[in-house]
Amino acid sequence: EANKMELDEAIEVLKDFAKQVKVKSDGAYQTDKGMCACMLAIKALEKQIPKKRNSYNCPVCSHYFEDGECFTYCPECGQRLE
């Protein structure tokens, strides 16, 4: 299981790579598929960084948790919770 620092570093590497993936070494532009893949990976990694619940709501999507419900991940958006 990766810790927050490792996840943050991976996100930064992917952000830099997404900027570079637009242009190949010969100067020809690639399709947006590489950049879209990087952005999708960044979103997935960001959801792995635990966020604290706002009492009864998910901090990302505001999904309401019933009293006593305890989840590691939000069942609505997949955000990891503390």
Side-chain angles (χ1 to χ4, degrees):
E1 184 175 309
N3 65 38
K4 183 181 180 330
M5 188 170 189
E6 291 170 333
L7 292 171
D8 287 338
E9 288 173 8
I11 289 167
E12 288 307 311
V13 168
L14 284 169
K15 285 180 179 178
D16 287 341
F17 185 71
K19 292 175 191 172
Q20 297 171 26
V21 79
K22 283 186 169 184
V23 182
K24 291 189 211 177
S25 58
D26 63 1
Y29 285 93
Q30 293 185 7
T31 65
D32 289 334
K33 286 183 181 180
M35 192 162 142
C36 288
C38 286
M39 300 313 291
L40 184 63
I42 290 167
K43 283 183 181 181
L45 286 172
E46 286 174 340
K47 286 191 180 272
Q48 294 304 307
I49 298 171
K51 292 192 178 181
K52 191 169 279 203
R53 283 180 17 175
N54 302 332
S55 53
Y56 293 103
N57 296 87
C58 172
V60 174
C61 72
S62 299
H63 173 76
Y64 180 77
F65 297 100
E66 296 291 329
D67 192 26
E69 283 185 317
C70 185
F71 293 103
T72 305
Y73 292 89
C74 174
E76 188 71 26
C77 71
Q79 176 63 50
R80 187 173 181 184
L81 304 168
E82 288 184 349

